[in-house]
């Protein structure tokens, strides 16, 4: 079975009690079955995702203790609406959840209990949702490895005991005695579920599956690999499914975060964050993160929204699709980045045209010098961009000149008093220093701490103040400093 979060764990000394699960399903005769849906979202934007769920589906979402996950109830007739959410990466239906699972003290006892648990879970409703989910979309061949519901493996060091790893193992050919006991203890609910699968399977096709364990915490006596292996073995024995790591029909999720345990079945074959981009760059943002940044600045009708460092155009593309009553200008100084943006726009336009939808998008693309934008002063309502972290793009040293320069130019083109900026960066020290040298042109309103590829970064919401651009001592100093810096770089190049 596959596993993630395989950190070294300590044995727990707590008193062991039999686990009790909270029921996640009930029946509504008018709307069908009510189930709990789990969703992975960009860390830091859990509240944004919960707001979207409330706005579009009309239910309250619960934010998990494990960062990057939310849970919310739906009736099965609204399942198609769940796939339209813009802030979620992956979706799964909850089979059972345990808020305070009391793990056994020894590894052997814990793994044996997990094996027994597999045969006692209320699988029926979750598997019905899985079947319904398959009918909502056309099959596009076999599923791919890696495009599955994942834990927030790039969670911050404070959230996870150690950096998680992804490991996959085939199930053993022979089942253990504990597996046999688990089979003997099948509940009526699970028996019915298995019969339904056998009867409804097209052509009596053998169902293939795998188990993915996502674990975080340092109080466990077992590894993610061991939990996935033993729990998966019991699932295989109980349902008589076949284990397949790549061409599986069902992915069973075993999510463990300290004492919180959630078992689910994946509903997405690949992460929804890849929805807009066909031409990727070295630092392409997830579309779900772009959506969170856009919601943070609340675009209004007829707003002019600027991304001066657009990269592959992920932010303006997401905005043009979801907040289409605003107009977007995407620019970059790199010709390859501009070409990728244009190609991504054309890809979306072609896809919309093929579906019979209007293909036009309120977006334009320009190649420019960030320090000298060809835009009129005080003409932009919102600036939203992913600034160079100084790792894969640019350098930390160059950021000390780049950040003040671009913040000043952003202040020039942004409308005083009403203009806003949403800026993502991992170079927090440099950014804070640059803001302090802006002469009061920007005021920081809010910061959302996010995880971008394992890096702890900040999304900063800034408000353009009423200060007049170019009339503060800091402006004059920065302007001269930038000229001196550019002149020095020019001299250095000539010497070399």
């Amino acid at each position: 079975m596959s596993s993630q979060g395989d950190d070294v764990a300590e044995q727990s000394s707590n008193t062991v009690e039999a686990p009790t699960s909270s029921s996640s399903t009930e029946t509504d005769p008018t709307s069908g079955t009510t189930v709990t849906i789990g969703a992975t979202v960009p860390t830091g934007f859990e509240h944004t995702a919960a707001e979207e769920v409330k706005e579009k589906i009309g239910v309250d979402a619960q934010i998990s203790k494990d960062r990057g996950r939310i849970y919310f109830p739906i009736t099965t007739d609204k399942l198609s609406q769940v796939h339209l959410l813009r802030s979620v990466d992956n979706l799964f239906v909850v089979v059972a959840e345990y808020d305070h699972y009391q793990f056994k003290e020894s590894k052997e006892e814990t793994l044996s209990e997990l094996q027994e648990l597999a045969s006692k879970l209320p699988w029926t409703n979750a598997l019905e949702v899985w079947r319904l989910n398959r009918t909502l979309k056309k099959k596009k061949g076999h599923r791919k490895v890696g495009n599955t519901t994942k834990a927030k493996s790039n969670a911050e060091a404070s959230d996870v005991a150690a950096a998680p790893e992804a490991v996959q193992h085939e199930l053993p050919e022979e089942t253990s005695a504990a597996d046999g006991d688990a089979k003997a203890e099948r509940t009526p609910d699970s028996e019915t579920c298995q019969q339904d699968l056998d009867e409804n399977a097209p052509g009596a096709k053998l169902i293939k599956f795998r188990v993915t364990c996502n674990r975080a915490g340092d109080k466990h006596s077992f590894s993610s690999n061991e939990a996935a292996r033993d729990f998966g073995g019991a699932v295989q024995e109980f349902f008589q499914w076949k284990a397949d790591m790549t061409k599986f029909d069902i992915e069973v999720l075993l999510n463990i975060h300290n004492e919180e345990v959630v078992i689910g079945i994946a509903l997405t074959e690949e992460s929804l964050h890849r929805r807009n981009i066909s031409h990727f760059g070295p630092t392409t943002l997830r579309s779900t993160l772009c959506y969170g940044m856009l919601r943070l600045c609340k675009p209004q009708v007829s707003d002019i929204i600027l991304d001066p460092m657009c990269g592959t155009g992920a932010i303006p593309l997401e905005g043009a699709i979801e907040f289409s009553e605003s107009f977007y200008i995407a620019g970059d100084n790199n010709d390859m980045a501009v070409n990728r943006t244009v190609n991504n726009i054309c890809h979306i336009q072609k896809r919309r045209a093929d579906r019979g939808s209007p293909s036009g998008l309120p977006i334009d693309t320009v190649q420019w010098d960030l320090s000298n934008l060809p835009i009129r002063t005080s003409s932009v309502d919102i600036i939203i961009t992913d600034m160079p972290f100084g790792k894969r793009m640019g350098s930390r040293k160059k950021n000390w000149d780049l950040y003040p320069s671009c913040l000043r130019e952003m202040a020039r083109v942004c409308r005083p008093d009403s203009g806003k900026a949403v800026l993502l960066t991992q170079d927090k020290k440099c950014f804070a220093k640059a803001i302090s040298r802006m002469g009061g042109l920007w005021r920081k309103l809010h910061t959302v701490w996010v995880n971008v590829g394992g890096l702890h970064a900040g999304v900063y919401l800034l408000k353009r103040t009423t200060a007049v651009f170019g009339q503060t001592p800091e402006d004059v100093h920065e302007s001269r400093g930038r000229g001196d810096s550019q002149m020095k770089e020019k001299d250095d190049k000539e010497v070399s």
Side-chain angles (χ1 to χ4, degrees):
M1 295 294 92
S2 68
S3 64
Q4 294 174 330
D6 194 7
D7 48 306
V8 179
E10 299 177 0
Q11 293 188 356
S12 171
S13 59
N14 294 337
T15 303
V16 180
E17 298 177 3
T20 57
S21 68
S22 58
S23 176
S24 61
T25 60
E26 54 187 56
T27 302
D28 183 339
T30 60
S31 302
T33 303
T34 298
V35 296
T36 299
I37 298 295
T40 60
V41 303
T43 56
F45 280 103
E46 295 88 353
H47 288 281
T48 300
E51 289 173 3
E52 187 192 11
V53 169
K54 181 66 174 178
E55 175 186 305
K56 296 182 178 179
I57 301 181
V59 297
D60 294 321
Q62 174 190 353
I63 298 174
S64 172
K65 298 174 185 176
D66 185 10
R67 294 193 70 196
R69 284 198 184 94
I70 63 171
Y71 298 93
F72 54 94
I74 65 160
T75 51
T76 51
D77 59 321
K78 293 186 177 181
L79 182 60
S80 59
Q81 298 178 29
V82 175
H83 284 274
L84 300 178
L85 295 172
R86 310 294 292 186
S87 56
V88 304
D89 290 323
N90 288 283
L91 297 163
F92 58 95
V93 57
V94 174
V95 175
E97 53 186 328
Y98 304 84
D99 293 331
H100 301 286
Y101 192 102
Q102 297 298 312
F103 290 101
K104 302 290 186 180
E105 291 188 15
S106 72
K107 179 199 299 186
E108 291 73 17
E109 289 179 313
T110 298
L111 295 177
S112 176
E113 189 175 75
L114 285 176
Q115 292 174 352
E116 295 174 4
L117 180 64
S119 64
K120 300 177 181 178
L121 295 174
W123 294 97
T124 304
N125 286 339
L127 286 167
E128 287 296 337
V129 172
W130 170 76
R131 286 193 200 91
L132 176 61
N133 189 68
R134 296 185 81 180
T135 66
L136 294 177
K137 52 192 175 183
K138 297 178 181 178
K139 286 189 67 66
K140 299 179 180 179
H142 293 297
R143 305 168 79 165
K144 298 178 180 179
V145 178
N147 294 333
T148 58
T149 306
K150 298 181 178 180
K152 290 300 166 180
S153 58
N154 53 2
E156 301 157 36
S158 60
D159 296 328
V160 182
E165 300 174 357
V167 184
Q168 296 183 352
H169 291 273
E170 290 286 354
L171 285 172
E173 291 296 327
E174 299 181 359
T175 55
S176 64
D179 292 334
D181 295 340
K183 182 178 180 181
E185 295 177 6
R186 292 175 180 172
T187 62
D189 180 72
S190 297
E191 287 282 7
T192 303
C193 176
Q194 184 183 12
Q195 293 173 6
D196 290 344
L197 278 174
D198 294 339
E199 294 172 359
N200 296 335
K205 176 186 174 183
L206 181 64
I207 290 180
K208 299 178 181 179
F209 85 109
R210 82 173 187 183
V211 170
T212 298
C213 179
N214 304 311
R215 186 176 65 87
D218 57 358
K219 300 295 183 181
H220 304 132
S221 60
F222 56 92
S223 68
S224 300
N225 178 47
E226 292 167 332
R229 180 197 64 205
D230 286 31
F231 182 76
V235 171
Q236 180 188 39
E237 177 69 14
F238 178 66
F239 284 110
Q240 294 300 303
W241 291 341
K242 180 181 178 180
D244 194 314
M245 297 299 101
T246 58
K247 299 178 181 179
F248 51 90
D249 302 299
I250 296 180
E251 182 179 23
V252 178
L253 306 172
L254 179 59
N255 297 326
I256 303 172
H257 182 260
N258 293 323
E259 293 184 345
E260 182 184 78
V261 177
V262 179
I263 298 96
I265 297 176
L267 299 179
T268 45
E269 295 180 1
E270 70 172 7
S271 178
L272 302 177
H273 82 269
R274 302 169 64 90
R275 54 182 174 254
N276 297 333
I277 306 300
S278 58
H279 294 73
F280 289 83
T283 58
T284 300
L285 281 186
R286 304 167 76 94
S287 296
T288 46
L289 179 55
C290 297
Y291 178 79
M293 294 171 66
L294 284 157
R295 278 189 73 105
L296 197 61
C297 62
K298 297 180 172 61
Q300 302 298 312
V301 176
S302 76
D303 275 354
I304 304 298
I305 301 179
L306 169 69
D307 184 350
M309 295 177 275
C310 66
T312 57
I315 295 174
L317 261 176
E318 182 68 21
I321 294 170
E322 187 66 15
F323 304 95
S324 58
E325 294 183 326
S326 300
F327 185 79
Y328 299 82
I329 305 174
D332 204 288
N333 68 342
N334 186 295
D335 57 345
M336 292 182 62
V338 173
N339 288 336
R340 290 192 188 104
T341 299
V342 171
N343 289 331
N344 285 323
I345 293 172
C346 292
H347 169 73
I348 295 295
Q349 289 176 326
K350 183 179 184 302
R351 191 171 70 185
R352 289 161 69 103
D354 291 342
R355 294 176 179 174
S357 303
S359 60
L361 290 171
I363 184 172
D364 201 359
T365 310
V366 187
Q367 183 172 351
W368 53 33
D369 174 10
L370 176 62
S371 300
N372 187 23
L373 298 175
I375 295 177
R376 288 184 301 177
T377 299
S378 305
S379 61
V380 173
D381 297 288
I382 296 172
I383 298 172
I384 178 168
T385 197
D386 172 20
M387 303 181 75
F389 288 9
K391 292 184 178 292
R392 282 180 290 180
M393 293 294 290
S395 69
R396 290 296 183 96
K397 183 178 180 181
K398 290 181 179 179
N399 282 352
W400 287 98
D401 290 327
L402 175 65
Y403 279 24
S405 175
C406 66
L407 282 170
R408 289 190 71 257
E409 189 65 358
M410 290 176 188
R412 180 186 70 81
V413 302
C414 197
R415 299 187 195 278
D417 193 32
S418 63
K420 290 177 286 188
V422 176
L423 309 177
L424 168 66
T425 180
Q426 190 258 343
D427 197 346
K428 298 178 282 290
K429 182 177 180 180
C430 181
F431 183 82
K433 183 65 175 179
I435 286 291
S436 69
R437 296 164 61 185
M438 285 299 101
L441 294 172
W442 293 109
R443 180 165 59 92
K444 189 163 65 175
L445 297 180
H446 183 57
T447 304
V448 178
W449 300 111
V450 298
N451 202 297
V452 182
L455 299 176
H456 185 243
V459 176
Y460 298 90
L461 173 61
L462 308 179
K463 176 74 178 294
R464 178 67 168 86
T465 66
T466 57
V468 179
F469 178 82
Q471 295 189 5
T472 66
E474 289 83 355
D475 286 336
V476 176
H477 171 75
E478 289 294 337
S479 180
R480 290 174 179 171
R482 184 175 64 178
D484 294 340
S485 176
Q486 291 175 342
M487 184 64 70
K488 183 178 183 298
E489 290 182 4
K490 182 178 180 181
D491 292 341
D492 291 341
K493 290 180 181 178
E494 292 177 350
V495 171
S496 59

